[in-house]
Amino acid sequence: MTDYIELQKQYEFDVFPKRDIVLTRGKGARLWDDKDNEYIDCASGIGVASIGHANEFLAKAIFEQAGKLITCPGTFYNDTKALLLEKLIGVTPVNLTKAYLSNSGTEAMEAAIKFSRYTTKKTNFISAMKGFHGRTMGALSATYKSEYRDGFEPLVPGFSFVPYNNIEKLAEAVDEKTAGIILEPIQGEGGINIGDFEYFKAVRKICDENNVILIIDEIQTGFCRTGKMFACDHFEIQPDILTVAKAIGGGFPIGATICSDKIELPIGKHGTTFGGNPLACAAANASIQFMLDNDLAKQAYEKGEYFKEKIMSQELNRVRSFRNLGLMIGIELKEKVQPILKELMDKGIIALPAGTTVLRILPPLVITYEELDFAIQKIIDVLK
Ligand SMILES: *Cc1c(COP(=O)(O)O)cnc(C)c1O
């Protein structure tokens, strides 16, 4: 049998710390490796596979579109793209009216940064400590962790950071140069830190009073993960720009920068070769339709509550605290998370870290209660 690990090690310019299994296929919330070991997926490929692996509705949509038209430059109109745009604007917060389509989260952020500078004719951005917005130079400039930034400076000038959920510090940081404020409604990579309702209300007010663009990054929280279509719906946030990616295409790469009427950019100032291609649009169309048809928001909420109840009813010695909104779950540990992830994987559970001490659980929203029970039991066994 081919040793895929050795093969990949030999030829990949690797940027990720690796776990030593070769994933070859999936179904719903289950994954299998090349030795046919089965795992319950509590990662969804980092919050991507919300509608489940090998989703037939999605596979059919991709197959049909692939046989029809895969690529179509932005200089032409396209039927599939038009239908996706209508659907996207239909599910996002009501004040958002137009979407720019790209291929990833970080590209959605780059567009948000450029659109904000152009619209306001100002240069600076404020984002939150522990925030994560992507790895390209603009998005990285808004990303807090020095581990991601060190070695790549100078980054884009004009970016600064304030503590999350602290309105005084944010108000102090805003000045006449501030073009935009960039925030996640729940910090994902930063440790599943949940925003305050009052905080976001105050942030909106600060933006309105200072002609500042409010950019809400829902790349991880979006599309039913938190128990509503968007986390904005929990906090009643009306962003000027909403960025999405991860779950939107059910695993097919696509990102979007969704704007209110306030945002301006003349034709020809920004663009992309692949962004919003018909194949990606067909995937996103099918994924969103599947979410709506199966009320995955409600499912995420109920399964999140179920998970919380089961975990909270236990005396777990290795746990400091528990945080969740729907199936966006963080279990803060009293110790480093990496060895725990290994223990879980040996028991057939694939989970994620968020920072050094938070165990992050992001299962596909279609996970069955049987699978959920299995995962919860293993997590309890490990954390006792
Ligand atoms: C993953 C993520 C990004 C970056 O998305 P990519 O598709 O990896 O570029 C940005 N913001 C948040 C909140 C994310 O979770």
Side-chain angles (χ1 to χ4, degrees), residues 104-107 109 132-134 184 189 217 219-220 245-246:
S104 64
T106 202
E107 278 175 81
M109 291 307 304
F132 181 89
H133 303 289
E184 295 159 87
E189 306 296 314
D217 177 347
I219 292 167
Q220 193 159 151
K246 291 206 162 87

Side-chain angles (χ1 to χ4, degrees), residues 341-353:
L341 291 173
K342 176 81 179 65
E343 277 185 60
L344 282 171
M345 205 172 81
D346 292 342
K347 291 180 186 297
I349 306 297
I350 292 178
L352 290 166

